[in-house]
Amino acid sequence: MDNAVALSQPRPPTVITLGLAERVRLMPGRAKIGFGIGVAALVGIVMALTMNLGQSDYKVLYANLSDKDGGAVIAQLAQMNVPYKVAPGSGAIMVPALQVPDLRLKLATAGLPKGAVSGFELMDTARFGQTQFQERLTFQRGLEGELTRSITSLAAVQTARVHLALPNQNGFFREQQKPSASVLVSLHPGRTLDRAQIAGIVHLVSSSVPELDPKSVSVLDQSGALLAGGNETGRAAGLDAQQLQYVNQIETGYAKRIFELIEPIVGHHNLRATVTADIDFSQTEATFEEFKPNQGADASVAIRSQQTTEQGGGGAAGSLPSGVPGAASNQPPVAATAPLTGASQALQGSPQSGGAANGGRREAVTNYEVDKSVRVTRNASGNVKRLNAAVVVNNRSVTDAKGKTTQVPLAAEEIEKLTALVRESIGFKQDRGDSVKVINAPFRIEALPAADAAWWKQPDTLDWVRTLALPGALALVALLVFFGLLRPAVKALSTSRVVTSPGSTFNAIEDDRPELPALPPPKSVEHLAGARKMAREQPAAVAGILRGWVDGQPAVAAESR
């Protein structure tokens, strides 16, 4: 062939796989700055979220600790690297909520909190060589601590202190002093001790100390009021908790009777009633003795004792006995009798004896039983001395034919009827000084503003929004930082292959999937037809050209003539 065809192709680019350091170095400066700012912002957001969640998830570990125990617990928590907070107002120690059970067990194993009250464990640390006074003082401190623990176990008692006065015992029984005790209790807010609980505390202390009289135990509360001990009669100036509760029950019961009787007549929410009861808690005791003599002739008598003395004597000194000697003058006298009424019997003797001249004397003493009645009267405490009832009734609502509602006062006859019902319901007594007052007055009803039903204005919703506002804002900023700064930088950083051409620097960057070089489009139809014709006529030459392209060497077709 006369024609000579020569085909040449430029050298294809080379694909090179890059490492992490090369990819970071090849990143644009703007992408590097954005990547650094994004990473710093994300770290700050994560730290802020962690601190916010940690602050809202703290719970109380211990509360109401003494300064000594609080310092010991805080030192132990710092040694354990546990975050903690101290509440400003109450001084409670707060730790993360999830660690509260474990920390309590660990601190209990370490013996914390020790508590400000020590019992008989003080005797375990007795030193060798201590004196008798020190041993007795240690025993007294341990006994006070045990009593304090027992008293503080009551539900109404918050803290307590016990002081014991134990005098020294000597060998002289008459000179020994009796022990005494004082108890100071601090009650929980809103709690009180009734009479039975106070008596229980007194009995507990008196039973724990030998020869301690319950009357020698004084109990005080945190306000300094004497609850037990001292002058019990002078303490009755005020009512105790049990008496106040009894008065409240009496007044509530009477008010309930009035409501149950009057409210169905006047309607619901149209009645207000209060009852004041004056209760007498004084106790009186009277003793009566009655002596009744034996009345009437038929009244039976009982002789308690009887004594009779008889004495008979002769006449003048030197007088000789006279009379006819014989059996009659030698008879003993008849026993004398003492009648209840009338003159006594004359003395019996010799025939010449029978007058004052003979010097005779007779005495008779008789004691009789007398009726005696002893009556003891004790008045019951808690009697009602006086009742005062005040009742207010609202006006009657009347609706006319047009549907308009108006308030109409009650008639005087209706007020009288209601007053009579109230008197009967409370057991009115005129001689006791009771008073009942029933009046009619319009009630002032203030219209309450309608509650807004919008869910976004409800307090629960607002609290929920306030709680989630900061975490939500931080999460939104994190998303903006990620998509605005980090994502482009990460996309540029993930490039692993670079395309180069011969004799030049890097001129193309590919991501993950390389693109194979393609043949340039034919410049004209004649060139495409000539290439096809050459492939049919000289397949060996075309194969050599393709082999050169694959190997990256320029291909030249041999001339054929």
Side-chain angles (χ1 to χ4, degrees), residues 20 71 73 78 153 208 290 318 344 349 353 384 452-453 492 502 514 517 524 529 536:
L20 180 61
V73 170
S153 62
S208 302
E290 297 179 355
S344 61
S353 64
V384 179
D452 194 355
S524 63
R536 287 193 299 269

Side-chain angles (χ1 to χ4, degrees), residues 256-400:
K256 184 178 179 182
R257 293 180 184 179
I258 296 174
F259 272 94
E260 291 179 351
L261 190 62
I262 307 300
E263 193 173 25
I265 301 176
V266 299
H268 193 53
H269 297 307
N270 291 327
L271 177 67
R272 298 292 184 272
T274 59
V275 178
T276 303
D278 187 3
I279 307 298
D280 184 14
F281 291 100
S282 61
Q283 295 182 354
T284 59
E285 181 178 347
T287 304
F288 301 92
E289 292 187 4
E290 297 179 355
F291 297 91
K292 294 182 180 180
N294 298 315
Q295 302 293 334
D298 298 335
S300 60
V301 295
I303 298 176
R304 178 187 298 176
S305 63
Q306 184 178 6
Q307 182 180 359
T308 303
T309 303
E310 295 182 358
Q311 182 179 0
S319 62
L320 297 175
S322 61
V324 179
S329 60
N330 293 331
Q331 296 293 328
V334 182
T337 59
L340 294 177
T341 57
S344 61
Q345 185 178 359
L347 294 175
Q348 296 180 359
S350 61
Q352 283 99 14
S353 64
N358 296 330
R361 187 182 63 176
R362 181 176 183 274
E363 295 180 358
V365 179
T366 304
N367 296 324
Y368 300 94
E369 291 288 352
V370 182
D371 294 341
K372 178 182 179 181
S373 299
V374 179
R375 180 163 50 93
V376 179
T377 304
R378 293 185 180 91
N379 294 331
S381 62
N383 296 326
V384 179
K385 295 175 58 178
R386 186 173 60 254
L387 289 177
N388 298 324
V391 181
V392 181
V393 182
N394 191 15
N395 291 340
R396 181 184 295 108
S397 299
V398 178
T399 305
D400 55 8

Side-chain angles (χ1 to χ4, degrees), residues 32 46 64 74 105 212 238-239 310 345 390 454 460 463 496:
K32 292 180 180 178
V46 170
N64 300 324
I74 290 177
L105 293 176
L212 177 59
L239 302 180
E310 295 182 358
Q345 185 178 359
D460 295 340
D463 294 340
S496 60

Side-chain angles (χ1 to χ4, degrees), residues 158-190:
Q158 185 176 9
T159 58
R161 294 194 65 182
V162 179
H163 303 277
L164 298 177
L166 303 179
N168 293 329
Q169 302 297 334
N170 50 28
F172 299 96
F173 181 77
R174 294 181 180 179
E175 298 179 359
Q176 290 182 359
Q177 298 179 358
K178 299 296 182 180
S180 61
S182 300
V183 180
L184 176 63
V185 293
S186 298
L187 305 180
H188 289 284

Side-chain angles (χ1 to χ4, degrees), residues 44-59:
I45 290 172
V46 170
M47 292 179 62
L49 285 174
T50 304
M51 294 177 62
N52 182 56
L53 294 177
Q55 290 179 358
S56 61
D57 201 17
Y58 271 70
K59 288 189 177 181

Side-chain angles (χ1 to χ4, degrees), residues 82-245:
V82 176
Y84 64 89
K85 294 193 305 182
V86 179
S90 60
I93 300 176
M94 305 178 67
V95 296
L98 298 178
Q99 302 182 19
V100 170
D102 296 337
L103 289 177
R104 286 181 178 176
L105 293 176
K106 292 179 181 178
L107 292 175
T109 305
L112 295 175
K114 296 181 179 180
V117 179
S118 300
F120 282 132
E121 60 269 13
L122 293 175
M123 305 297 295
D124 299 336
T125 59
R127 299 187 304 272
F128 179 76
Q130 64 180 358
T131 63
Q132 185 179 2
F133 173 76
Q134 293 176 345
E135 182 179 359
R136 184 166 52 85
L137 184 60
T138 304
F139 173 77
Q140 180 176 346
R141 289 179 55 195
L143 184 57
E144 292 176 352
E146 294 294 335
L147 290 175
T148 301
R149 290 176 179 176
S150 300
I151 295 174
T152 52
S153 62
L154 298 177
V157 179
Q158 185 176 9
T159 58
R161 294 194 65 182
V162 179
H163 303 277
L164 298 177
L166 303 179
N168 293 329
Q169 302 297 334
N170 50 28
F172 299 96
F173 181 77
R174 294 181 180 179
E175 298 179 359
Q176 290 182 359
Q177 298 179 358
K178 299 296 182 180
S180 61
S182 300
V183 180
L184 176 63
V185 293
S186 298
L187 305 180
H188 289 284
R191 301 288 186 89
T192 56
L193 292 175
D194 56 11
R195 186 177 299 177
Q197 291 175 329
I198 296 173
I201 294 176
V202 172
H203 183 72
L204 173 67
V205 176
S206 62
S207 301
S208 302
V209 180
E211 298 183 2
L212 177 59
D213 190 5
K215 296 181 180 179
S216 301
V217 180
S218 302
V219 181
L220 289 81
D221 60 1
Q222 67 271 24
S223 61
L226 184 62
L227 303 180
N231 188 6
E232 296 290 342
T233 59
R235 191 174 58 90
L239 302 180
D240 58 8
Q242 188 174 4
Q243 293 174 349
L244 291 175
Q245 184 179 4

